[in-house]
Amino acid sequence: CTLDSEVALRVGGDFFFDPQPGDSPVNLVLIAGGVGINPLFSILLHIADLHGYPEGKGNGHKLGTVKLYYSAKNTSELLFKKNILGLMNTFPGKITCCFHVTQQRSQICKELQPHTTGK
């Protein structure tokens, strides 16, 4: 997004992301806190699955980028963090994540440090 961009926002409830072949690509921003990551992680896995198809093999999906913002009290409460890091490594530039911790008391592990902000 850029300044003055129009965005759609959906909080809670019944939602899904199901792009169809031929749809214009969209960039997604997913925002999660605590266990609220569950439905968004499912969307992230779906997008990774669609990205995983070899280019030009007829699936017809054109996908934009996905940026996940995920907050928890500390890194031990960041569910699926290893899976998310794996997706970022598998799809660099297509899937990114920023973790945020609010009550971290110990040192953040080296693997998470480049992707984590907070106390």
Side-chain angles (χ1 to χ4, degrees), residues 29-106:
V29 176
L30 304 174
I31 303 170
V35 297
I37 188 66
N38 283 295
L40 300 183
F41 184 63
S42 178
I43 290 171
L44 197 62
L45 289 176
H46 179 58
I47 291 165
D49 186 48
L50 293 175
H51 272 307
Y53 285 108
E55 294 292 327
K57 294 293 183 187
N59 76 350
H61 288 92
K62 297 177 189 125
L63 300 171
T65 60
V66 180
K67 181 83 167 189
L68 172 65
Y69 292 92
Y70 180 21
S71 180
K73 287 182 185 177
N74 54 56
T75 55
S76 65
E77 291 191 11
L78 291 169
L79 305 176
F80 312 117
K81 62 185 167 265
K82 294 211 182 278
N83 303 84
I84 294 167
L85 289 172
L87 291 173
M88 290 191 314
N89 290 331
T90 302
F91 303 103
K94 294 179 180 179
I95 296 175
T96 57
C97 179
C98 292
F99 298 110
H100 182 77
V101 291
T102 59
Q103 298 176 22
Q104 184 77 18
R105 303 259 188 262
S106 60

Side-chain angles (χ1 to χ4, degrees), residues 2-19:
T2 60
L3 185 60
D4 296 326
S5 291
E6 185 174 321
V7 297
L9 182 64
R10 179 87 191 240
V11 179
D14 186 21
F15 62 95
F16 58 92
F17 179 69
D18 189 24

